[in-house]
Amino acid sequence: MEKRSLFYPLDQEGLTTLRIQYDWKTGNVFLQASKDWDEDFDWSRYNHDFYVESIKTRTARLLNDVETRTMYEKYGISDYLEEVIDLVRQGKHFGIDCFYNKRLDIRYLGNMHNRKRGINNTRHGVMKGGIRRHEKDENEL
């Protein structure tokens, strides 16, 4: 895995999730990194044995904003993290959710464009963001 990636520190630290939250009205940014599931978790059992809110690990780990930023500094890519945050700011997005499955080598970035959901928001799929598949050797940005 390329070192200049949002996922590199997650991989190195045994974490699964990075959340970048941005409030474009105040300019505040909050970061959170965590381990939310075990490496051998059986995702094929979704909606059979577990659901979204189920506990997927007994060894959860949560890093707050300061700890998450320190982790990116440790791997020498704070500048890259700030570049990504700046793109979120420019777009006035609400943030990015990053999910990493090391065993399956799956990396997912979900850009949050709008928090409004529900039956009256017929454009929810467009406003939330879309899914585009990229080759693993493509640049994240």
Side-chain angles (χ1 to χ4, degrees):
M1 175 181 301
E2 183 178 333
K3 185 177 179 182
R4 194 167 167 81
S5 166
L6 294 176
F7 297 96
Y8 184 77
L10 300 180
D11 178 66
Q12 298 300 300
E13 298 289 328
L15 302 174
T16 62
T17 308
L18 169 68
R19 288 196 166 83
I20 302 172
Q21 184 179 353
Y22 174 61
D23 183 341
W24 59 268
K25 289 186 178 184
T26 64
N28 293 329
V29 175
F30 181 80
L31 304 178
Q32 176 181 304
S34 57
K35 176 189 173 198
D36 297 331
W37 60 80
D38 289 325
E39 192 170 313
D40 61 350
F41 192 79
D42 184 3
W43 292 98
S44 70
R45 299 302 303 158
Y46 181 73
N47 267 349
H48 298 282
D49 299 337
F50 73 96
Y51 48 93
V52 172
E53 292 84 9
S54 292
I55 297 167
K56 299 170 200 64
T57 182
R58 292 281 181 201
T59 59
R61 185 172 166 213
L62 177 65
L63 304 180
N64 65 28
D65 184 83
V66 172
E67 294 165 322
T68 302
R69 290 175 191 274
T70 300
M71 178 179 67
Y72 278 85
E73 286 174 23
K74 174 181 173 181
Y75 293 100
I77 56 173
S78 292
D79 60 332
Y80 181 72
L81 176 64
E82 287 304 318
E83 191 177 337
V84 171
I85 290 170
D86 190 51
L87 290 171
V88 172
R89 281 188 184 110
Q90 288 176 40
K92 292 187 177 178
H93 301 303
F94 287 88
I96 297 175
D97 285 339
C98 302
F99 302 105
Y100 176 59
N101 186 307
K102 184 173 185 161
R103 181 175 55 90
L104 300 175
D105 194 25
I106 296 173
R107 291 165 251 165
Y108 174 83
L109 288 126
N111 300 313
M112 294 179 288
H113 298 280
N114 188 322
R115 295 231 185 263
K116 186 175 180 183
R117 299 182 193 186
I119 196 163
N120 294 325
N121 184 3
T122 58
R123 294 176 43 101
H124 171 70
V126 174
M127 299 304 287
K128 170 66 174 149
I131 294 177
R132 295 183 194 100
R133 184 175 178 171
H134 296 275
E135 295 301 321
K136 291 181 181 178
D137 61 348
E138 282 186 60
N139 188 324
E140 277 180 9
L141 296 181

